[in-house]
Amino acid sequence: MAKWNEFSNNGRDRPLWQSLSLYLSIRAELKTIIILTSSSNSPILQVDMSMVEYHVLRRERMKKMSRRAAAIWSLVLLLSTQWLFGSPATVEASSTVVSSYKVSPGVDYRQERVRINGSNQKTNVLDVNLENSFTKLAVNTPIPFSQTKTTSQQARERTVDGHRVVGAVNATFFDMSDPNRLPFSIISENDRVVNYGTVSSGRDHYRSEPIAFGVRSNGKATVDHYDIRSSVSYNGHSLPITNMNYIRSNNDLLLFTPMMTNGRTGTNEFGVEVIVRGASKDMKNLQFGDRVTGTVERVRGYGDSGNAQIPEDGFVLSGHGRQNIDLLTSMKPGDTVEVSVDIDDKWKGAQFMLGSGPQLVRNGQVHITMNESNWRASQRVARTAVAVDRTGTKVQMITVEKMTLREFAEYLVSLGVDRALNLDGGGSTTMVARQHGQTYATLANVPSAGSERRVSATLQAISTAPASAPARLRMDSIQAPVAVGSTVELKSHFAMDEYYNTVPYRESDLTFTVTNGVGEVNGKTFRATSAGEGRIQARINGQSVGSIEVKVVNSFDRLAITPSKLTIGTGEQHRFTADAIRTNGTNPIFDSSLVNWRVEGGIGTITPNGRFTAGNEKGTGAIVATYGNMETRVPVTVLSTNQFRDVPNDHWAYDSLLFLKDRGILRGYADGTVKPGQPLTRSQSASMLVREFDLQANEFQSPNFKDVPSGFHAYHDIRAISGVGFMTGRSDSTFDPNGYLTRGQMATILVRAYGLEAPLPEKPTFTDVEVDHWAYEAIETLAYHGIASGYQDGRFGPSDSVSRAHFSVFLDRSITKLVK
């Protein structure tokens, strides 16, 4: 999300808006808004309405626009608001927990699904219990302070033994237009001023009131207003300090310390700056309650160059406006000046403070401290917040996918929070949490930009618990019953101590025991020995680290063997496996080695573990598998090993292709392939049938097909197949030898070749073959004899091409069923 503060002109003290004559250009379909300068007619701001990141014109500027321009601008704002944001929606009362787990003893993570504007979206919540002695919160800024890093990077860098960042969210808004991306709001740690912060003018901005989240000196968290009381004192006069290490604007009195990123004030000549050295305290560690004195070294008057160098042992006072300039110009080199920095008592001594805005919830009710009609509030975007309960001991860090501020506040109220503060959102919205088995916290949400954005600060949940002995072992559960005699390999992944820290362990220190006498464990292999229910308990160095359930059965409904049918070449091997099948319930884990295997028909040998080796002669037989009183038979055909290279043993048409090849009907290509998926041509089908029926071309006269010359590679086969009448040509005296054979043509050819007859059904068998179809009788006859069936949707597809594999299967069935 864009971070807009009051518009500043790179340190200039005169608002840019007063020097521009603005024109409004409205593009068609209200998709783009452009603001132009009158001098160059070039845009200073072009807004893609789909991104909705623009700076709203001030009310004063609207008054100066012509009535027509003002009316157009108002219309644009009205229509764009309705188009972009739609009608208001509320959070439905119910939400569903999608997943949850304990991150550390005092931190829990959960993901919820909540209904927003008629659609489900996911929210992420980190529950932090500050009453847990090993749990605390902290605000983190990268080192050096001018850097920005992702939330997960900041969590990783701050994780060490005894200080593990187990969860975190992005924190306050920061200036994306500034190369240093410094945060806008106050940040302090144990009274040390990390960032002085500022408050936006007007309620159209998020930080319209000085509000912060923090943990006070009593260890209780809160969301509350704050009041910084800082001043400069000289020669009996005192003036309030407006800000520290920030951009000087109209009537500001700023304090610049060596904490300033580039070591300079960054100001222009329209002000006065006093360089002070010999500070009585290190200004890089300024704390609330400090009163620091120093000696004036130099006074740079109004009209000087500005951008003063900040001394390492001192500070710079920079002022604009008559009152501030009068005080600063009265100072002389060698004079003593005092700076005091303080905050209201309720925040004095706080463990940390993190400013942001707006406040969303107060006293358990929706309480939004900004203008809700502003687009920043009504836009549905990803958002982040921190919330506390009434006791100040329970803190929640929350991210949501896409909500308005009101929807977000209503959702927070539904969680039962007492107070809540909005943090940075949009593309910055990020939550990380330490998952089980991890050392570092990782992404828990999906950033709206697709990846993590680098941010200036994060709010972190810390576990200070020490690493200890393994207390939990993550193991895979056994999902199915185990048949008596069968084995299961136990798989363990990681161990955690009692504080959910991932800790190492040695496999040699891991042992298992089994309850209720249902089995035994050797190493990490469980073997079922007796029917019943028990638990496999794991121990590391004798200490219990968890268990998993196991159920052992000694009966099931049938024994299934894979494969259920086998065609194999002479001398080849194939491994049979056995599975226990239950008609009702989950099939048990079953070890094939428990099966007794034998071979019938003298076609080869089989080992006790089910590996079959075919003999050297072709033949048929069976593999017989027995377990107890159960027996399963698998038919086996041993053929020549001269199989096609592109037809593996598990090909669906393997048996038919190998059968026809061994019979001499099907010939492959020169490279040893048969290309089973390619469509079969009419000439190829003619050649296969000629070989099957051993037809001789010289017994028949030439058909004189115009497209089959005597030099054609299948001329003799076409002559024979047409002579016997199995295949005929077309009415134009062509045969179409290279055309693909259709399923309708195949049915007609096979019926003719095998002289098939069958009674016709009372109504058509297939939805796409009516009684008046030219191949109706042939297709019904083929279906009657079980040689070819239709598709699952009830069609036969008479015009579909037949692949080489399909024709081989149909021909195999014809030979097997019809040839005596």
Side-chain angles (χ1 to χ4, degrees):
M1 179 179 291
K3 284 71 179 178
W4 289 98
N5 192 28
E6 286 300 309
F7 193 92
S8 60
N9 190 20
N10 297 325
R12 294 182 176 87
D13 301 296
R14 183 173 55 192
L16 178 62
W17 302 101
Q18 296 177 10
S19 64
L20 296 177
S21 175
L22 302 178
Y23 291 90
L24 180 65
S25 171
I26 307 174
R27 287 190 176 178
E29 301 180 51
L30 298 177
K31 290 184 178 178
T32 306
I33 296 176
I34 302 177
I35 299 177
L36 306 172
T37 66
S38 60
S39 58
S40 64
N41 204 38
S42 60
I44 61 168
L45 184 62
Q46 178 167 324
V47 181
D48 182 347
M49 292 295 283
S50 65
M51 296 301 293
V52 206
E53 296 197 356
Y54 57 90
H55 194 75
V56 179
L57 286 173
R58 294 181 178 181
R59 187 181 302 273
E60 291 78 6
R61 185 60 205 169
M62 289 288 290
K63 293 178 181 178
K64 296 180 182 180
M65 298 172 65
S66 67
R67 291 184 179 180
R68 179 180 179 184
I72 294 174
W73 180 252
S74 299
L75 177 62
V76 169
L77 291 180
L78 173 63
L79 295 179
S80 62
T81 300
Q82 294 176 348
W83 174 55
L84 288 165
F85 309 128
S87 57
T90 57
V91 179
E92 295 184 7
S94 61
S95 60
T96 304
V97 176
V98 177
S99 62
S100 63
Y101 61 90
K102 183 166 283 295
V103 180
S104 66
V107 180
D108 294 272
Y109 166 81
R110 72 178 185 274
Q111 185 178 89
E112 293 187 343
R113 184 171 60 248
V114 62
R115 192 81 170 171
I116 295 291
N117 196 27
S119 63
N120 289 326
Q121 62 171 278
K122 292 179 180 177
T123 65
N124 299 277
V125 182
L126 276 173
D127 291 305
V128 182
N129 181 7
L130 295 180
E131 291 182 308
N132 182 272
S133 60
F134 292 120
T135 302
K136 69 176 186 177
L137 290 170
V139 62
N140 180 72
T141 56
I143 300 175
F145 184 58
S146 60
Q147 285 191 356
T148 54
K149 295 183 180 180
T150 66
T151 303
S152 57
Q153 283 178 316
Q154 293 188 42
R156 186 183 185 95
E157 291 177 357
R158 290 297 302 272
T159 297
V160 295
D161 288 344
H163 183 97
R164 293 178 170 85
V165 180
V166 296
V169 292
N170 61 295
T172 189
F173 296 89
F174 57 96
D175 189 352
M176 292 186 67
S177 64
D178 182 354
N180 298 311
R181 295 194 169 191
L182 296 177
F184 282 129
S185 300
I186 187 172
I187 299 176
S188 72
E189 293 178 303
N190 297 315
D191 278 342
R192 184 175 71 89
V193 183
V194 178
N195 191 64
Y196 198 88
T198 184
V199 177
S200 302
S201 61
R203 294 183 65 81
D204 283 342
H205 296 274
Y206 292 116
R207 298 166 294 101
S208 59
E209 296 183 21
I211 304 175
F213 165 79
V215 178
R216 294 179 179 171
S217 58
N218 61 2
K220 301 293 182 65
T222 189
V223 172
D224 208 342
H225 286 74
Y226 64 89
D227 180 19
I228 293 183
R229 303 162 182 170
S230 302
S231 63
V232 175
S233 297
Y234 170 73
N235 198 23
H237 298 282
S238 179
L239 287 176
I241 292 175
T242 309
N243 209 323
M244 183 169 64
N245 297 330
Y246 199 64
I247 299 172
R248 189 186 66 195
S249 189
N250 295 336
N251 301 311
D252 276 352
L253 178 58
L254 263 68
L255 171 66
F256 290 100
T257 75
M259 287 290 289
M260 190 67 175
T261 305
N262 58 7
R264 287 186 174 275
T265 60
T267 57
N268 57 25
E269 68 273 23
F270 303 111
V272 174
E273 294 189 330
V274 176
I275 293 90
V276 180
R277 303 188 69 97
S280 60
K281 178 175 180 174
D282 182 2
M283 297 298 286
K284 291 183 179 179
N285 291 293
L286 203 59
Q287 291 182 296
F288 292 125
D290 281 345
R291 303 175 71 87
V292 183
T293 59
T295 302
V296 175
E297 180 184 66
R298 181 183 175 188
V299 178
R300 304 178 72 169
Y302 191 91
D304 288 348
S305 59
N307 195 26
Q309 181 75 41
I310 304 168
E312 283 292 319
D313 65 339
F315 52 90
V316 173
L317 297 170
S318 182
H320 176 273
R322 177 53 53 195
Q323 189 177 22
N324 295 324
I325 290 175
D326 287 346
L327 178 66
L328 296 182
T329 54
S330 67
M331 297 179 183
K332 301 293 186 293
D335 287 350
T336 299
V337 63
E338 181 182 82
V339 170
S340 66
V341 179
D342 211 345
I343 199 166
D344 51 306
D345 290 342
K346 65 175 176 290
W347 285 107
K348 189 70 68 67
Q351 295 178 18
F352 71 86
M353 289 179 64
L354 174 63
S356 193
Q359 185 166 356
L360 300 176
V361 180
R362 179 182 294 174
N363 298 325
Q365 303 294 321
V366 173
H367 181 86
I368 300 176
T369 57
M370 74 172 291
N371 179 11
E372 288 190 60
S373 63
N374 181 265
W375 65 271
R376 295 177 177 87
S378 57
Q379 186 183 13
R380 287 194 177 97
V381 294
R383 298 188 186 273
T384 309
V386 60
V388 299
D389 73 343
R390 190 175 297 275
T391 69
T393 62
K394 305 297 189 300
V395 176
Q396 292 180 316
M397 294 185 273
I398 305 103
T399 66
V400 298
E401 288 181 322
K402 191 177 292 186
M403 294 187 188
T404 67
L405 278 185
R406 175 155 289 273
E407 289 168 348
F408 196 16
E410 289 175 353
Y411 171 65
L412 295 172
V413 169
S414 74
L415 296 179
V417 307
D418 183 65
R419 297 190 174 201
L421 181 67
N422 183 65
L423 301 177
D424 190 9
S428 299
T429 295
T430 307
M431 176 181 288
V432 297
R434 185 182 68 177
Q435 299 183 37
H436 291 175
Q438 292 181 339
T439 301
Y440 303 103
T442 56
L443 267 176
N445 73 314
V446 179
S448 61
S451 60
E452 280 193 79
R453 174 180 285 172
R454 294 164 51 225
V455 296
S456 64
T458 55
L459 178 62
Q460 299 179 341
I462 311 297
S463 173
T464 61
S468 57
R472 302 172 180 87
L473 182 70
R474 174 60 60 86
M475 296 176 58
D476 286 348
S477 60
I478 300 177
Q479 299 292 332
V482 184
V484 171
S486 299
T487 59
V488 177
E489 288 299 313
L490 303 177
K491 295 182 179 180
S492 58
H493 299 281
F494 56 84
M496 296 185 294
D497 64 12
E498 60 180 314
Y499 307 116
Y500 296 88
N501 299 314
T502 301
V503 291
Y505 68 95
R506 295 181 301 180
E507 290 289 333
S508 59
D509 296 332
L510 179 61
T511 58
F512 298 94
T513 57
V514 183
T515 66
N516 206 26
V518 296
E520 57 190 14
V521 177
N522 183 13
K524 297 184 75 172
T525 302
F526 168 77
R527 180 176 177 273
T529 59
S530 180
E533 296 182 3
R535 300 193 72 86
I536 301 174
Q537 296 179 329
R539 288 180 170 80
I540 297 178
N541 291 325
Q543 176 67 38
S544 177
V545 290
S547 64
I548 56 174
E549 294 180 350
V550 61
K551 181 178 181 180
V552 177
V553 296
N554 57 6
S555 64
F556 45 89
D557 298 317
R558 64 184 179 89
L559 185 67
I561 306 300
T562 304
S564 59
K565 177 183 179 182
L566 178 65
T567 299
I568 192 170
T570 55
E572 293 182 346
Q573 292 186 337
H574 191 85
R575 173 72 182 275
F576 285 92
T577 58
D579 292 294
I581 305 299
R582 301 175 72 184
T583 303
N584 297 314
T586 305
N587 293 334
I589 298 170
F590 184 77
D591 193 339
S592 296
S593 64
L594 301 175
V595 173
N596 291 318
W597 305 93
R598 74 174 189 272
V599 180
E600 288 185 350
I603 54 175
T605 59
I606 192 167
T607 63
N609 66 355
R611 181 167 294 280
F612 171 69
T613 302
N616 295 325
E617 300 293 333
K618 296 184 292 182
T620 59
I623 299 297
V624 181
T626 58
Y627 175 79
N629 60 356
M630 297 181 183
E631 179 178 284
T632 302
R633 302 173 65 83
V634 176
V636 178
T637 301
V638 178
L639 299 176
S640 169
T641 57
N642 187 24
Q643 66 185 81
F644 299 111
R645 289 197 302 125
D646 56 347
V647 182
N649 287 349
D650 58 354
H651 190 278
W652 65 271
Y654 174 85
D655 292 346
S656 296
L657 292 167
L658 204 62
F659 171 73
L660 295 186
K661 186 177 190 301
D662 192 62
R663 196 176 176 89
I665 299 173
L666 181 61
R667 297 172 184 174
Y669 296 92
D671 61 358
T673 64
V674 72
K675 297 180 175 54
Q678 285 191 355
L680 186 74
T681 66
R682 287 171 55 82
S683 62
Q684 290 170 343
S685 64
S687 297
M688 292 177 67
L689 290 170
V690 165
R691 297 184 196 113
E692 166 60 17
F693 287 92
D694 194 22
L695 301 177
Q696 302 299 319
N698 57 11
E699 297 179 2
F700 306 98
Q701 293 182 353
S702 173
N704 294 320
F705 293 123
K706 292 186 295 185
D707 55 352
V708 185
S710 59
F712 186 73
H713 71 88
Y715 169 78
H716 294 288
D717 291 338
I718 293 172
R719 176 179 174 178
I721 205 70
S722 62
V724 77
F726 292 171
M727 298 180 70
T728 60
R730 302 181 184 276
S731 59
D732 61 354
S733 299
T734 61
F735 185 79
D736 190 19
N738 295 319
Y740 296 139
L741 188 72
T742 67
R743 287 169 61 89
Q745 293 170 348
M746 172 206 68
T748 301
I749 293 168
L750 292 180
V751 167
R752 289 174 185 164
Y754 289 99
L756 300 178
E757 295 180 353
L760 295 177
E762 292 183 0
K763 62 180 181 177
T765 304
F766 305 104
T767 59
D768 58 346
V769 185
E770 297 294 336
V771 294
D772 57 352
H773 192 279
W774 65 269
Y776 172 73
E777 292 187 9
I779 291 172
E780 293 290 359
T781 300
L782 217 59
Y784 176 82
H785 287 280
I787 294 173
S789 58
Y791 300 121
Q792 291 184 351
D793 61 1
R795 297 182 305 108
F796 184 81
S799 299
D800 295 349
S801 298
V802 178
S803 70
R804 293 166 62 83
H806 273 113
F807 187 76
S808 297
V809 170
F810 299 145
L811 190 55
D812 176 13
R813 291 174 184 167
S814 300
I815 295 170
T816 304
K817 291 175 177 291
L818 304 173
V819 177
K820 304 299 183 182

